[in-house]
């Protein structure tokens, strides 16, 4: 045999004086099949494998077993640019940790598409290289989600997703409960006039926050300002808030809370003595502000870990098994921006 040629199972079979099928059983066979091979023969084959340094061809093993132990990760937005780093990186940390623990490699699928929106089923996509895929993003393409549901390809979404031709397997954060808990804190501190700044949909993560907020209002709290579009100048945004006489503002985006804090300080207003601010979700960075906002923590790493474990179960057990949908608790962050309501 040429020294530069890759050893094959046939080569090992010739050296051991057995059939190629016997070598394949020694390498890949179930315990019941191995029991039919004499112990001396098994040991002879295994010794030759060790002595020659034979490594099975991963492509051949995939063809034989239908698996190459690769999990795909698809993000609808670029995962690594600085603008998204605080959103995606914790998920990726958790995914990598769990995949490594379970003996799987990761393949980052970038897809293709027009503009910034990526497509899972783009013409140049390589989805089937991976045994299954984790899909995450701030927004999903609902048509693609329905296409995934209609197929036989194992996938798990990070973040709660509405049914798409059937229940979607996902691991998400319980934003509704966490938001409601912050409203309850505001109520206990005497706040009765609240503002809500930011979108209420269509993404499930934002609609869940809005649902949790409205459900917690009850009959004693009043929503005096609701702004879904917060693109106004910082001073204009603060003017609208002060004009509403809201004593606490709930901001869907941390960036809006930081803008209001900056504008309030410029006018000599103190937080939370003059105005309370709440951010509906934590971020790694605080957009240049050193303030610890009242908020809740999003267990991004744990979501990544549990989504990966769920995907492995679907890959190894088949997608016909019961669909799992998991919402993880988001722990409150006390912060320093939510205090007793100011009496007007």
């Amino acid at each position: 045999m040429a020294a530069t040629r890759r050893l094959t199972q046939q080569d090992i079979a010739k050296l051991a004086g057995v059939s190629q099928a016997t070598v394949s059983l020694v390498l890949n066979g179930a315990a019941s099949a191995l029991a039919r091979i004499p112990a001396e023969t098994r040991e002879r084959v295994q010794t030759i494998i060790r002595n020659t340094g034979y490594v099975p061809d991963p492509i051949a093993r995939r063809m034989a077993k239908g698996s190459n132990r690769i999990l795909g990760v698809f993000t609808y937005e670029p995962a690594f640019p600085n603008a998204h780093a605080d959103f995606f990186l914790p998920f990726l940390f958790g995914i990598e940790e769990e995949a490594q623990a379970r003996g799987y490699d990761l393949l980052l699928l970038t897809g293709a598409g027009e503009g910034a929106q990526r497509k899972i089923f783009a013409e140049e996509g390589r989805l089937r290289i991976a045994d299954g895929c984790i899909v995450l993003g701030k927004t999903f393409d609902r048509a693609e989600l329905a296409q995934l549901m209609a197929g036989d390809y194992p996938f798990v979404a990070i973040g709660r997703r509405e049914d798409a031709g059937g229940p979607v397997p996902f691991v998400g954060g319980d934003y509704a409960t966490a938001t409601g808990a912050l409203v309850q804190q505001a109520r206990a501190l005497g706040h009765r006039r609240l503002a809500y700044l930011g979108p209420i949909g269509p993404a499930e993560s934002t609609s869940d926050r809005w649902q949790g907020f409205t459900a917690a209002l009850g009959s004693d709290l009043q929503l005096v300002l609701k702004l879904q579009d917060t693109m106004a100048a910082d001073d204009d945004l603060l003017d609208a808030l002060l004009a509403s006489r809201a004593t606490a503002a709930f901001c869907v985006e941390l960036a809006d809370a930081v803008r209001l804090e900056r504008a309030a300080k410029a006018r000599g207003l103190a937080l939370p003595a003059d105005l309370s601010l709440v951010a509906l979700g934590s971020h790694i960075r605080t957009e240049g502000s050193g303030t610890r906002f009242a908020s809740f923590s999003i267990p991004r790493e744990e979501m990544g870990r549990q989504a990966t474990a769920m995907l492995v179960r679907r890959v190894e057990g088949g997608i016909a098994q019961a669909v799992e949908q998991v919402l993880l608790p988001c722990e409150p962050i006390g912060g320093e921006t939510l205090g007793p309501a100011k009496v007007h």
Side-chain angles (χ1 to χ4, degrees):
M1 292 179 293
T4 57
R5 185 171 69 82
R6 181 190 183 105
L7 284 173
T8 66
Q9 286 189 17
Q10 188 174 8
D11 295 328
I12 300 299
K14 288 180 179 179
L15 290 171
V18 298
S19 68
Q20 184 177 342
T22 298
V23 174
S24 179
L25 279 175
V26 171
L27 285 168
N28 308 306
S32 57
L34 284 172
R36 298 196 299 268
I37 303 174
E40 180 184 350
T41 301
R42 293 200 306 269
E43 178 59 30
R44 186 166 69 253
V45 172
Q46 291 167 347
T47 298
I48 291 173
I49 289 172
R50 288 194 298 269
N51 291 342
T52 59
Y54 169 76
V55 177
D57 185 335
I59 295 178
R61 295 193 71 163
R62 181 191 179 206
M63 292 176 65
K65 292 190 170 184
S67 171
N68 58 6
R69 301 194 72 80
I70 294 177
L71 303 178
V73 180
F74 179 87
T75 64
Y76 271 107
E77 300 92 14
F80 296 111
N82 194 52
H84 297 298
D86 63 340
F87 179 78
F88 282 114
L89 285 182
F91 293 123
L92 297 176
F93 290 153
I95 291 169
E96 180 185 32
E97 182 180 88
E98 188 66 24
Q100 184 176 17
R102 292 176 176 266
Y104 280 80
D105 290 315
L106 293 177
L107 176 65
L108 182 62
L109 300 163
T110 58
E114 298 181 1
Q117 184 74 351
R118 300 178 175 187
K119 298 292 182 183
I120 296 177
F121 295 102
E123 184 178 351
E124 297 179 359
R126 298 292 183 267
L127 195 64
R128 291 281 177 176
I129 293 176
D131 301 323
C133 187
I134 294 171
V135 185
L136 68 159
K138 294 182 178 180
T139 58
F140 274 39
D141 184 312
R142 296 183 184 276
E144 288 201 321
L145 189 58
Q147 189 174 346
L148 277 171
M149 287 296 302
D152 61 353
Y153 186 70
F155 79 97
V156 171
I158 288 186
R160 186 186 73 81
R161 300 297 161 187
E162 299 284 358
D163 284 8
V168 177
F170 66 73
V171 177
D174 190 354
Y175 304 133
T177 299
T179 300
L182 288 172
V183 174
Q184 296 289 6
Q185 289 182 33
R187 172 185 280 111
L189 290 167
H191 294 275
R192 294 297 179 267
R193 299 174 63 85
L194 308 183
Y196 195 90
L197 309 178
I200 63 174
E204 289 87 346
S205 59
T206 51
S207 63
D208 285 353
R209 288 169 166 86
W210 174 244
Q211 179 185 3
F213 178 84
T214 55
L217 287 177
S219 59
D220 58 328
L221 303 187
Q222 184 179 2
L223 177 61
V224 296
L225 178 65
K226 174 185 170 186
L227 286 179
Q228 295 188 59
D229 182 358
T230 60
M231 296 303 293
D234 295 0
D235 283 334
D236 292 339
L237 189 62
L238 180 60
D239 285 340
L241 183 57
L242 295 177
S244 72
R245 298 179 63 200
T247 58
F250 287 71
C251 301
V252 176
E253 296 292 341
L254 173 64
D256 288 332
V258 173
R259 292 171 57 205
L260 285 170
E261 176 200 26
R262 182 169 55 238
K265 286 184 176 179
R267 297 194 194 184
L269 299 176
L271 303 181
D274 295 308
L275 176 66
S276 286
L277 294 177
V278 177
L280 299 181
S282 59
H283 291 58
I284 292 177
R285 298 190 304 272
T286 54
E287 309 290 338
S289 171
T291 301
R292 183 175 172 83
F293 286 87
S295 184
F296 55 77
S297 64
I298 300 175
R300 291 184 174 92
E301 287 193 31
E302 184 61 21
M303 288 163 68
R305 280 190 288 269
Q306 292 204 26
T308 304
M310 183 184 294
L311 179 59
V312 170
R313 290 194 292 272
R314 293 180 66 77
V315 167
E316 297 181 353
I319 63 173
Q321 62 185 337
V323 171
E324 298 176 81
Q325 296 181 327
V326 177
L327 288 179
L328 301 179
C330 300
E331 298 299 327
I333 297 174
E336 54 194 31
T337 61
L338 178 60
K342 182 179 180 178
V343 179
H344 288 282

